[in-house]
Amino acid sequence: MRIALYQPDIPGNTGAILRLAACLDLTVDLIEPAGFDLSDRNLKRAGMDYIERAVLNRHASWEAFEAWRRGEGRRLLLFSTTADTAYTDFSYADSDILLFGRESAGAPEAVHSAADARLLIPMKEGARSLNLAMSAAMAAGEAIRQVR
């Protein structure tokens, strides 16, 4: 199972997700461009010493990522505030990629269209969104619970 980040904006979130992935034995796919330099100290602070243990694959663009994913035959699950299916009502597979959009803008329509499923983390009415790292942790926890 993998976590993919579409052009992330906030280094602290990416660092926390790398730490999560290292601890849960997941791979992170970072779809560039990122909104920060990967040597950012906030990224390193959030990831602590776990960043060195994390498996990170960088993709130069959405098109490069999509070509790789399709070649691998992996299912793409996009987490979105506009989705209809709750993430807890979905059946995960070990080869799935859990994709999260940019903190500032989500994912564009081309990414939505490419997804095999769009999943929602239900929230209280009036709440806009959860922190990206929290969302990734919730999604990964549920997916792992189901497949492992």
Side-chain angles (χ1 to χ4, degrees):
M1 189 167 307
R2 303 168 85 95
I3 295 174
L5 305 176
Y6 178 84
Q7 300 179 353
D9 293 327
I10 301 174
N13 283 336
T14 300
I17 291 168
L18 286 167
R19 181 178 180 177
L20 171 77
C23 290
L24 298 181
D25 194 26
L26 303 173
T27 296
V28 174
D29 290 286
L30 194 145
I31 303 162
E32 297 187 15
F36 53 88
D37 187 310
L38 288 180
S39 64
D40 187 286
R41 71 178 176 88
N42 291 321
L43 173 83
K44 292 179 180 177
R45 182 177 49 173
M48 297 176 59
D49 58 334
Y50 292 91
I51 286 182
E52 295 171 7
R53 298 180 189 180
V55 178
L56 173 64
N57 288 330
R58 295 169 65 181
H59 303 271
S61 66
W62 166 250
E63 294 76 19
F65 170 79
E66 257 303 87
W68 167 82
R69 177 186 76 87
R70 290 185 185 277
E72 293 283 312
R74 291 179 176 265
R75 195 166 60 165
L76 186 64
L77 312 178
L78 175 63
F79 287 77
S80 171
T81 58
T82 63
D84 294 322
T85 303
Y87 80 109
T88 51
D89 294 336
F90 188 80
S91 294
Y92 298 87
D94 197 42
S95 61
D96 286 341
I97 299 172
L98 313 177
L99 175 63
F100 299 88
R102 297 176 73 184
E103 292 93 339
S104 63
E109 186 53 41
V111 174
H112 280 259
S113 296
D116 296 296
R118 294 187 317 154
L119 304 174
L120 173 72
I121 298 174
M123 296 179 288
K124 179 180 177 179
E125 188 174 328
R128 283 184 310 134
S129 64
L130 291 167
N131 172 276
L132 182 69
M134 292 290 209
S135 296
M138 291 173 68
E142 175 62 16
I144 289 169
R145 182 191 70 79
Q146 286 187 26
V147 300
R148 294 187 188 165

